[in-house]
Amino acid sequence: MRILYFAWVRERTGTAEETVTPPATVTTATALADWLSARSDGHAAAFADRKRLRLAINQDQADFSDPVAANDEIAFFPPMTGG
Amino acid sequence: MPVRIQAEDFDIAAEIAALSAGRDDIGALVTFTGLVRGGETASLTLEHYPGMTEKALSAIEAEALTRWPLKASLIIHRVGTLAPGAQIVLVATASESRHAAFEAASFLMDYLKTDAPFWKREDRSDGASHWLDARETDTASRDRWKKP
C-alpha cells in the first residue's frame, strides 16, 4: 500500500511517501489512519483530528469509511485550497 | 480543453491568441486570472498532488462541458513559490455568447478552489509561516452550483 502525505500532514509525519503493509484487519481508511498513527509521534499528531483531514484513494476523493486494499494509493491531506 | 500545471509564469495574451487561433465560431471569451495578494504575505508556496491534480481538473472541466456549450477552455495553475503580484491561475472559457463563458469560468474557479488538490503555505513578512485553511465561503461558492 502506497501512502502519500501533503502540506502540514506531510510536515507532521516527516515523510511525503511511504510503502506499508498493514495487517488484514485494516479494511477501511479509518482503520488505516488508526494503524498509521502508531508509527510515530508525528504520525499521531497528523492523524489526531480527522475532521481536519481529507483523503483520496487511487487519486479520487474518498471518505474515511471507504474500503482500502493492498495495492491502493492512499493520500492524506488538509482540505484543498486551490486557485 | 487543456489543463496545465506548471512552475513557469504564463502570458495571458498568448494563451488567448492560441485558444482562438483559426476559429470563427467563438463569440465570447472570458478569462479569470488569480494573483498573489501582498500585505503581510512575503510569498506563497503552492504544493499539489501530481496525477490527481490533472485528473481532478479534467473532471471539473468535463462537468463544465456538460452544463454549458463551450467551444474551448483552458486551465493553467502554477505551483512552487510565488511572490506578491505573481499570477497563480488562469481560467479561460470560450463560447458562442457571453453568458455561457462567464458562468462556466465562474464554475471552474469555484470548483478549482475546493476540489483540486492544491495547498498554499504562506510565508509572512514577519518570518512566520503557516498553511492556509480552506474557507467556508469557498465551499459555499462551490455548492451553489450543485444540482438539487
Side-chain angles (χ1 to χ4, degrees):
Chain A
M1 202 177 275
R2 188 171 175 226
I3 313 293
L4 304 177
Y5 305 106
F6 293 96
W8 58 256
V9 185
R10 169 178 52 73
E11 290 178 345
R12 288 186 188 179
T13 61
T15 183
E17 179 177 342
E18 54 191 342
T19 301
V20 299
T21 310
T25 50
V26 171
T27 56
T28 65
T30 294
L32 176 64
D34 291 343
W35 183 76
L36 288 168
S37 294
R39 284 175 78 81
S40 74
D41 288 347
H43 284 74
F47 286 105
D49 186 358
R50 305 283 161 89
K51 286 193 297 295
R52 295 186 64 204
L53 284 182
R54 300 291 180 270
L55 69 140
I57 300 177
N58 299 322
Q59 305 189 350
D60 285 318
Q61 286 187 60
D63 294 318
F64 275 99
S65 58
D66 285 336
V68 296
N71 293 323
D72 285 346
E73 173 179 303
I74 300 169
F76 294 98
F77 43 77
M80 300 176 255
T81 54
Chain B
M1 307 284 164
V3 162
R4 287 184 357 228
I5 315 299
Q6 62 188 46
E8 315 81 67
D9 200 6
F10 49 82
D11 178 339
I12 301 172
E15 297 298 342
I16 292 175
L19 202 71
S20 57
R23 305 185 61 155
D24 63 1
D25 59 337
I26 294 172
L29 204 158
V30 166
T31 65
F32 171 87
T33 312
L35 310 175
V36 179
R37 271 194 305 270
E40 303 293 303
T41 305
S43 70
L44 215 53
T45 298
L46 286 105
E47 177 173 331
H48 80 120
Y49 180 174
M52 182 176 170
T53 313
E54 292 81 356
K55 194 174 170 181
L57 291 178
S58 297
I60 294 166
E61 208 169 35
E63 175 63 22
L65 273 171
T66 69
R67 296 184 181 217
W68 293 279
L70 298 180
K71 300 290 185 185
S73 66
L74 170 69
I75 300 174
I76 301 176
H77 205 300
R78 293 179 70 193
V79 291
T81 299
L82 303 174
Q87 303 185 125
I88 304 178
V89 61
L90 175 69
V91 161
T93 51
S95 57
E96 261 180 37
S97 56
R98 69 186 185 281
H99 294 300
F102 272 124
E103 286 179 19
S106 192
F107 170 90
L108 289 175
M109 273 311 302
D110 285 343
Y111 267 84
L112 195 154
K113 285 260 174 196
T114 55
D115 286 56
F118 292 99
W119 301 277
K120 294 189 185 110
R121 195 191 70 222
E122 180 190 37
D123 289 302
R124 298 171 70 93
S125 39
D126 62 6
S129 172
H130 69 117
W131 291 94
L132 296 183
D133 285 326
R135 293 198 191 117
E136 279 180 25
T137 50
D138 285 335
T139 306
S141 293
R142 177 201 64 193
D143 289 348
R144 73 199 164 104
W145 299 103
K146 291 212 166 149
K147 291 170 177 168

